[in-house]
């Protein structure tokens, strides 16, 4: 997405900072004809037999038509708005126009961009702003736009140039006053809702899109803030840019800014044309407001089946909707089809545009990795070192130190300590990691759909970024607990115990990541992880020494079993003895737990843990391939 170097030089020389976005990179003519979209639905009904209240359940699958033959166009320099009540199909149509629906086998009709169908290279010229502002809460406005610029602008620009472009966007959208404010979230106070919406728009404006799609950009905002945002969008459309958005209930002031309106009712088109001609059209078919009112409110009443005389009985609403659909087919369907057939589409492309299409990614893998790693470290440090996590870890460490204080002469107690520590650092990282990908699913899908980065670069940055944050707390835990509990005070024993726990943490985290990525539902993933972890612990060699043959194999796939073996070896040797009775010393190797786990095959235990470390992360990566664009 090249931006004019001459304009950029004007920016560096102190010229008009807004000039870099005055013109779109390439005018884009959007046309959609007879779009029909269906989804499969499942209905469960309960049947009764005779006088009994008991019965069976029957599952019936059917298809629901969401869009019923929608046609229209959006041209450069225009702001096209989709109006309609909730459930009318506005967001579905907008998502289809943005190429963000993968189930194309349920879609009929045609959607073309300058005469061509949607392609993976085309999406880098399309900006898509979702209704919910999907932003990282702990990043500032400046950081959010800066990292977006680094990922979405081509590598032909330097970091300094990308930073200047991010600065220009902030100035253009009036965000300079809050540039150092964090985005915030439901439980974290940050910038205002209007400012968050402008940040979302700014992320898309960085690529200087030819087509800008916005889903409910004024949702939840006061009229003044909504007016500022729509005014900004209107100015953006003047730069040969195609702007299409859905809006639920605009004010009259906003209504008169719309160039073209598409009014939907239950998936049917009831009006398509110039915004200034909408009231005249409905007056011509017998629908005029009886009192002065906002035109948008009047149109929405009609789309809901409420006629101009205010009649709102259910049967009358249905007949009103049917009459509007019939009127559209009679008066507007043919003119719309004629307009679309005569629409001039600029299909010729110069060599530079063809060359751009061959580039699959704007930035290299290493650039994506470094930017994602930097962003991840800034965002996730607040989660990894939250007061709750730190309090939990330090409290358990001190509690262990108190309960096992000076237990050096009691190996049976020390084995219990080692197994508890092994279990704690099996459960804690796994359940922390389960939330990772389900919580980031919407963000990952959004960014991948925009073609920001490869899945492999995101995954690698996430794994590397997790290392310091996931390992600092276990190091602090062992440093507190180890010396209080009377374990062997030799450096070799301490570091072997620490290394075993850290390896255990990484394997456990990988298991949590894999389960979260495969299930993508926190509740279901938590239940699955709980069952798996309990099975691993019960067969880990401490609770049961004689496992039934049909289930004993579980210990060989349990990382608890291998890590407990390494912890045993880190503190004891095979021939070491202890005072088992007042007059007798016994070998550690003869203790039931030590005998079950054993002192042999130590290298195999290390190898198995490393295999699990890699395997679980590969499973997590495969699970993530279902999210977002499959690139």
């Amino acid at each position: 997405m090249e931006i004019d170097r001459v304009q950029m030089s004007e920016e560096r020389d102190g010229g008009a900072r807004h000039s870099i976005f005055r013109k779109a990179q390439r005018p884009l003519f959007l046309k959609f004809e007879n779009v029909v979209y269906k989804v499969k639905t499942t209905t469960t009904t309960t049947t009764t037999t005779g006088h009994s209240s008991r019965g069976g359940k029957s599952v019936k699958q059917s298809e629901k038509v969401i869009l019923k033959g929608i046609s229209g166009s959006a041209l450069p320099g225009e702001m096209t708005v989709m109006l309609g009540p909730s459930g009318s199909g506005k967001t579905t149509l907008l998502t289809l126009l943005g190429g963000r629906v993968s189930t194309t086998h349920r879609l009929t009709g045609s959607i073309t961009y300058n005469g061509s169908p949607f392609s993976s290279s085309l999406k880098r010229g399309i900006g898509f702003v979702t209704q919910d502002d999907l932003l990282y809460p702990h990043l500032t406005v400046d950081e959010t736009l800066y990292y977006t610029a680094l990922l979405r602008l081509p590598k032909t620009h330097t970091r300094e140039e990308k930073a200047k472009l991010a600065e220009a966007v902030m100035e253009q959208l009036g965000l300079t006053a809050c540039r150092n404010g964090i985005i915030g979230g439901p439980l974290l106070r940050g910038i205002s809702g209007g400012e968050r919406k402008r940040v979302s728009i700014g992320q898309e404006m960085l690529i200087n899109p030819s087509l800008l799609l916005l889903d409910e950009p004024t949702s939840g905002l006061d009229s003044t803030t909504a007016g500022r945002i729509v005014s900004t969008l209107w100015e953006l459309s003047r730069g040969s840019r195609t702007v299409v958005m859905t809006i639920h209930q605009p004010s009259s002031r906003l209504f008169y800014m719309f160039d073209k309106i598409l009014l939907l009712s239950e998936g049917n088109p009831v009006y398509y044309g110039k915004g200034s001609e909408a009231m005249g059209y409905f007056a011509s078919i017998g629908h005029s407001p009886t009192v002065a009112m906002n035109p948008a409110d009047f149109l929405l009443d009609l789309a809901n089946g409420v006629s101009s005389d205010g009649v709102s009985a259910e049967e009358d609403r249905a007949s009103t909707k049917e009459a509007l659909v019939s009127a559209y087919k009679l008066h507007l369907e043919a003119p719309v089809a004629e307009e679309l057939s005569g629409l001039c589409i600029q299909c010729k492309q110069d060599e530079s545009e063809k060359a751009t299409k061959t580039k699959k990614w704007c930035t290299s893998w290493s650039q994506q990795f470094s930017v994602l790693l930097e962003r991840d470290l800034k965002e996730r440090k607040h989660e990894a070192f939250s007061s709750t996590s730190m309090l939990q870890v330090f409290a358990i460490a001190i509690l262990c130190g108190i309960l096992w204080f000076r237990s050096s002469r009691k190996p049976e107690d020390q084995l219990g300590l080692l197994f508890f520590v092994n279990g704690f650092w099996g459960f804690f990282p796994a359940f922390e990691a389960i939330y990772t990908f389900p919580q980031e699913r919407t963000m990952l899908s959004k960014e991948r759909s925009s073609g920001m980065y490869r899945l492999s670069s995101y995954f690698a940055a996430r794994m590397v970024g997790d290392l310091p944050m996931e390992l600092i707390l276990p190091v602090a835990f062992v440093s507190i607990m180890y010396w209080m509990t009377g374990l062997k005070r030799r450096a070799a024993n301490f570091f072997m115990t620490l290394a075993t726990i850290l390896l255990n943490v990484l394997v456990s985290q990988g298991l949590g990541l894999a389960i979260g990525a495969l299930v993508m539902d926190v509740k279901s993933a938590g239940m699955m992880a709980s069952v798996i972890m309990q099975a691993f612990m019960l067969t880990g060699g401490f609770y049961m020494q004689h496992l039934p043959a049909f289930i004993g194999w579980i210990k060989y796939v349990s990382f608890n079993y291998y890590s407990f073996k390494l912890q045993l070896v880190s503190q004891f040797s095979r021939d070491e003895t202890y005072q088992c009775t007042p007059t007798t010393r016994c070998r550690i190797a003869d203790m039931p737990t030590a005998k079950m786990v054993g002192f042999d095959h130590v290298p195999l235990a290390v190898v198995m843990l490393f295999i699990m470390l890699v395997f679980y992360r590969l499973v997590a990566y495969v699970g993530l391939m279902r999210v977002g664009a499959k690139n």
Side-chain angles (χ1 to χ4, degrees):
M1 308 309 166
E2 287 292 338
I3 297 176
D4 196 320
R5 296 287 181 162
V6 175
Q7 293 175 342
M8 187 179 295
S9 65
E10 292 177 359
E11 170 70 19
R12 285 196 294 261
D13 295 338
R17 299 181 66 85
H18 304 267
S19 62
I20 58 174
F21 297 114
R22 190 167 294 161
K23 291 288 184 181
Q25 56 183 340
R26 177 168 62 101
L28 194 149
F29 294 80
L30 172 63
K31 183 170 74 170
F32 47 99
E33 297 180 276
N34 197 28
V35 174
V36 178
Y37 185 69
K38 303 176 182 179
V39 295
K40 290 183 179 180
T41 59
T42 302
T43 306
T44 303
T45 58
T46 303
T47 58
T48 58
T49 305
H51 299 286
S52 174
S53 60
R54 295 182 179 179
K57 290 185 177 181
S58 61
V59 178
K60 182 180 180 181
Q61 288 191 343
S62 59
E63 280 192 336
K64 181 180 180 181
V65 183
I66 305 298
L67 299 175
K68 305 169 184 177
I70 311 296
S71 297
S73 65
L75 307 180
E78 287 185 348
M79 184 164 64
T80 303
V81 176
M82 302 179 195
L83 288 174
S86 298
S88 60
K90 306 186 302 293
T91 298
T92 301
L93 179 57
L94 191 77
T95 307
L96 289 170
L97 297 179
R100 299 197 171 208
V101 177
S102 59
T103 53
T104 53
H105 60 281
R106 301 175 190 170
L107 170 67
T108 59
S110 68
I111 302 175
T112 58
Y113 311 80
N114 283 0
S116 302
F118 183 83
S119 62
S120 58
S121 59
L122 180 65
K123 67 184 177 183
R124 289 173 179 78
I126 297 178
F128 195 101
V129 180
T130 58
Q131 180 176 354
D132 298 323
D133 299 314
L134 300 175
L135 304 166
Y136 286 105
H138 293 98
L139 296 181
T140 65
V141 172
D142 189 12
E143 290 170 342
T144 299
L145 293 175
Y146 175 60
Y147 289 131
T148 302
L150 293 180
L151 290 168
R152 299 192 68 177
L153 292 174
K155 55 187 176 183
T156 52
H157 299 300
T158 65
R159 277 202 172 216
E160 292 73 19
E161 289 174 335
K162 292 179 180 182
K164 288 177 180 178
L165 290 170
E167 180 73 29
V169 169
M170 278 191 291
E171 184 171 332
Q172 185 180 17
L173 296 178
L175 294 170
T176 52
C178 62
R179 61 180 303 155
N180 295 319
I182 62 171
I183 298 298
L187 302 177
L188 181 66
R189 186 172 182 178
I191 59 178
S192 67
E195 290 167 337
R196 273 197 295 271
K197 182 60 67 178
R198 279 180 278 158
V199 172
S200 298
I201 296 173
Q203 285 186 307
E204 304 306 316
M205 287 308 303
L206 278 167
I207 63 171
N208 193 19
S210 300
L211 172 63
L212 182 61
L213 305 171
L214 307 100
D215 188 15
E216 302 279 4
T218 62
S219 177
L221 303 179
D222 60 84
S223 59
T224 302
T225 304
R228 289 183 61 188
I229 288 177
V230 174
S231 297
T232 301
L233 295 174
W234 184 87
E235 292 175 4
L236 293 173
S237 68
R238 301 305 102 173
S240 299
R241 187 172 289 106
T242 306
V243 176
V244 182
M245 66 178 176
T246 66
I247 197 164
H248 183 64
Q249 202 162 7
S251 65
S252 57
R253 182 162 59 105
L254 299 184
F255 181 84
Y256 290 109
M257 298 177 66
F258 303 154
D259 296 303
K260 194 181 293 180
I261 289 176
L262 173 60
L263 181 63
L264 300 178
S265 175
E266 295 182 349
N268 293 293
V270 293
Y271 178 76
Y272 171 76
K274 294 180 179 180
S276 58
E277 299 175 356
M279 297 299 288
Y281 165 75
F282 285 108
S284 69
I285 60 174
H287 295 282
S288 297
T290 56
V291 296
M293 63 185 302
N294 178 0
D297 291 339
F298 177 69
L299 296 185
L300 287 171
D301 283 346
L302 290 177
N304 276 307
V306 180
S307 60
S308 55
D309 57 6
V311 176
S312 59
E314 191 63 35
E315 58 272 13
D316 293 321
R317 288 189 179 188
S319 61
T320 300
K321 293 176 184 177
E322 290 177 5
L324 291 173
V325 173
S326 299
Y328 176 88
K329 293 180 179 179
L330 178 64
H331 299 288
L332 294 179
E333 191 171 63
V336 170
E338 183 179 355
E339 175 190 337
L340 296 180
S341 64
L343 187 63
C344 178
I345 302 298
Q346 303 295 329
C347 298
K348 294 184 179 181
Q349 301 170 345
D350 58 29
E351 294 301 321
S352 63
E353 290 172 346
K354 292 180 180 179
T356 302
K357 280 196 170 186
T358 61
K359 296 178 181 178
K360 192 171 183 180
W361 302 101
C362 292
T363 53
S364 65
W365 190 95
S366 60
Q367 289 174 322
Q368 293 172 10
F369 172 80
S370 61
V371 174
L372 290 170
L373 178 59
E374 182 180 342
R375 187 183 71 174
D376 192 50
L377 289 173
K378 283 197 174 185
E379 172 64 26
R380 291 206 63 238
K381 65 182 180 182
H382 302 280
E383 301 174 11
F385 301 117
S386 65
S387 57
T388 304
S389 298
M390 296 178 66
L391 179 62
Q392 181 180 1
V393 169
F394 287 124
I396 296 296
I398 294 172
L399 183 61
C400 287
I402 294 173
L403 292 176
W404 277 276
F405 189 67
R406 295 180 179 178
S407 62
S408 58
R409 296 183 180 180
K410 300 174 183 178
E412 60 273 22
D413 289 343
Q414 288 186 339
L415 286 176
L417 168 65
L418 294 176
F419 193 78
F420 171 79
V421 172
N422 183 59
F424 176 76
W425 287 110
F427 269 91
F428 185 77
F431 280 87
E432 287 284 311
I434 279 174
Y435 295 91
T436 300
F437 295 131
Q439 288 180 340
E440 288 199 0
R441 180 178 186 174
T442 52
M443 180 67 77
L444 179 61
S445 179
K446 169 200 168 186
E447 294 184 337
R448 294 259 295 138
S449 297
S450 300
M452 288 180 67
Y453 47 74
R454 301 167 176 83
L455 179 61
S456 57
S457 59
Y458 163 82
F459 191 79
R462 192 61 197 259
M463 295 303 101
V464 174
D466 280 345
L467 287 178
M469 292 183 285
E470 294 295 335
L471 299 183
I472 288 176
L473 287 180
V475 171
F477 177 94
V478 175
S479 300
I480 295 172
M481 174 275 303
Y482 192 91
W483 308 110
M484 292 181 67
T485 54
L487 296 175
K488 289 186 176 178
R489 297 176 176 271
R490 288 198 295 264
N493 300 98
F494 171 79
F495 284 111
M496 186 172 180
T497 301
L498 176 60
T500 301
I501 292 175
L502 294 181
L503 184 56
N504 184 64
V505 166
L506 293 178
V507 175
S508 172
Q509 182 204 28
L511 176 61
L513 292 173
I515 294 174
L518 289 175
V519 179
M520 279 297 178
D521 177 77
V522 173
K523 185 176 180 180
S524 300
M527 293 175 58
M528 182 183 296
S530 179
V531 172
I532 293 174
M533 292 299 301
Q534 293 288 356
F536 283 178
M537 285 195 67
L538 290 174
T539 57
F542 183 79
Y543 293 114
M544 295 184 65
Q545 284 76 47
H546 305 286
L547 295 173
F550 73 93
I551 204 172
W553 59 269
I554 294 181
K555 73 176 183 180
Y556 297 112
V557 295
S558 167
F559 64 86
N560 294 91
Y561 171 76
Y562 295 110
S563 58
F564 185 46
K565 178 191 286 285
L566 294 179
Q567 289 196 46
L568 177 67
V569 173
S570 71
Q571 292 297 316
F572 305 103
S573 62
R574 184 191 301 271
D575 298 325
E576 189 174 345
T577 61
Y578 69 102
Q579 198 74 35
C580 54
T581 68
T583 60
T584 309
R585 294 190 66 83
C586 303
R587 295 172 68 242
I588 295 290
D590 294 331
M591 292 180 64
T593 300
K595 185 180 293 185
M596 196 293 188
V597 177
F599 288 86
D600 54 350
H601 305 304
V602 174
L604 177 62
V606 176
V607 171
M608 288 299 298
L609 287 175
F610 274 102
I611 290 175
M612 292 178 184
L613 186 151
V614 175
F615 174 74
Y616 288 145
R617 281 164 172 75
L618 286 177
V619 172
Y621 182 80
V622 172
L624 285 181
M625 292 174 68
R626 302 171 300 163
V627 180
K630 296 182 179 179
N631 290 330

